[in-house]
């Protein structure tokens, strides 16, 4: 029984610089049963208008620091990336429907929505054995795109309730169980990925605050299946709310 570490790199992300902007080096990315309709989008909060002004630099400051990570986890230098102070257009290569379930097993898994953000910041941490990984990302969207992105995430989770991940060898039969998380941000959802061939599992969490979405990914080799991913997302959502 084994669990593969998360696969990094924000694949296909094109950052077109429209003005002087400095990006952090590196890249990021690394896959329920029933999709709960209780997670349907609410009306955007008053934080929406303010959150539009959050730049990549600001979002980077809202990511959880190294001291918040479990013991033994260290920052992956090549997994840090953000859109800087502005003037950068984010354009991700579209994720084909046939590949969406596998992308849920990658960091920057929010790409499955195929909705580009206005700004983002992300990084990830791994343990010394490279069998566990934690990834965190914050994306700010244009207009009502954040609500649409959350709706798309719920649809993808439901579609990927049971699939075969052929991105690694041997292929793994994966189950994804998703559920809405009431009382967190404007809306929130979490998903747990497991497989008979894995030891442990993966937990993904997404929390929307106005036009901003916080996402986390915790690939764990332990019985908790990375459950702390939700707590981490909640903490960042509160920081986003305060910054907005």
């Amino acid at each position: 029984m084994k669990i593969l570490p998360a696969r990094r790199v924000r694949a296909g992300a094109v950052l077109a610089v429209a003005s002087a902007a400095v990006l952090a080096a590196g890249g990021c990315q690394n896959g329920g049963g029933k999709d709960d309709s209780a997670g349907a989008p609410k009306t955007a909060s008053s934080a929406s208008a303010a959150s539009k002004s959050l730049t990549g630099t600001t979002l980077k400051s809202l990511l959880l620091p190294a001291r918040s990570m479990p013991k033994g986890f260290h920052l992956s230098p090549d997994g840090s990336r953000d859109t800087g102070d502005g003037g950068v257009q984010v354009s991700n290569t579209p994720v084909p429907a046939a590949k969406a379930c596998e992308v849920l097993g990658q960091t920057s898994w929010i790409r499955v929505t195929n909705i580009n953000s206005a700004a983002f910041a992300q990084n990830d941490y791994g343990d010394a054995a490279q069998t566990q990984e934690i990834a965190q990302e914050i994306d700010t969207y244009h207009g009502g795109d954040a609500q649409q992105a959350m709706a798309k995430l719920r649809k993808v989770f439901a579609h990927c309730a049971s699939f075969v991940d052929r991105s690694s060898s041997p292929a793994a039969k994966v189950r994804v169980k998703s559920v809405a998380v009431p009382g967190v941000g404007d809306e929130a959802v979490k998903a747990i990925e497991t497989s008979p061939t894995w030891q442990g599992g993966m937990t993904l969490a997404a929390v929307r605050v106005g036009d901003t979405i916080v996402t986390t990914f915790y690939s764990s080799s332990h019985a908790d299946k990375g459950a702390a991913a939700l707590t981490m997302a909640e903490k960042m959502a509160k920081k986003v709310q305060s910054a907005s």
Side-chain angles (χ1 to χ4, degrees):
M1 302 262 298
K2 66 176 180 178
I3 184 167
L4 300 177
R7 286 150 281 168
R8 293 188 284 272
V9 181
R10 190 181 176 97
V14 177
L15 305 177
V17 181
S19 65
V22 179
L23 302 184
C28 231
Q29 280 182 20
N30 200 26
K34 155 172 128 171
D35 185 61
D36 195 322
S37 60
K42 301 176 184 177
T43 302
S45 70
S46 58
S48 298
S51 66
K52 293 178 183 178
S53 64
L54 297 179
T55 66
T57 299
T58 300
L59 296 177
K60 180 180 179 181
S61 71
L62 302 179
L63 295 173
L64 297 180
R67 64 177 179 274
S68 296
M69 298 298 150
K71 184 178 180 180
F73 280 74
H74 301 283
L75 180 67
S76 302
D78 63 345
S80 299
R81 192 173 178 85
D82 65 83
T83 46
D85 290 326
V88 176
Q89 180 179 352
V90 182
S91 180
N92 289 313
T93 300
V95 176
K99 296 291 185 181
C101 298
E102 292 182 358
V103 172
L104 289 181
Q106 303 174 0
T107 61
S108 196
W109 51 271
I110 197 169
R111 292 185 306 113
V112 298
T113 65
N114 285 327
I115 298 176
N116 293 323
S117 57
F120 74 85
Q122 61 185 111
N123 63 29
D124 62 344
Y125 292 76
D127 66 353
Q130 297 186 334
T131 58
Q132 301 185 100
E133 186 167 11
I134 296 171
Q136 55 180 345
E137 179 171 350
I138 308 177
D139 291 77
T140 291
Y141 291 83
H142 299 287
D145 284 355
Q147 290 171 290
Q148 293 182 40
M150 290 294 289
K152 183 63 180 293
L153 283 181
R154 292 192 295 272
K155 289 180 180 179
V156 172
F157 285 152
H159 171 71
C160 298
S162 179
F163 72 97
V164 177
D165 185 354
R166 304 183 188 281
S167 63
S168 59
S169 182
K173 292 183 179 180
V174 181
R175 288 190 177 279
V176 179
K177 183 176 182 180
S178 61
V179 61
V181 183
V184 179
D186 289 321
E187 57 179 315
V189 62
K190 75 170 182 178
I192 300 174
E193 298 189 43
T194 56
S195 172
T197 61
W198 294 348
Q199 180 182 352
M202 308 177 189
T203 296
L204 293 75
V207 180
R208 181 177 69 82
V209 177
D211 289 327
T212 299
I213 297 179
V214 169
T215 52
T216 54
F217 173 101
Y218 194 157
S219 172
S220 172
S221 59
H222 302 297
D224 64 355
K225 301 178 181 63
L230 178 58
T231 301
M232 293 176 178
E234 290 183 62
K235 289 180 179 179
M236 282 192 287
K238 290 179 180 178
K239 294 176 70 173
V240 168
Q241 201 161 22
S242 297
S244 299

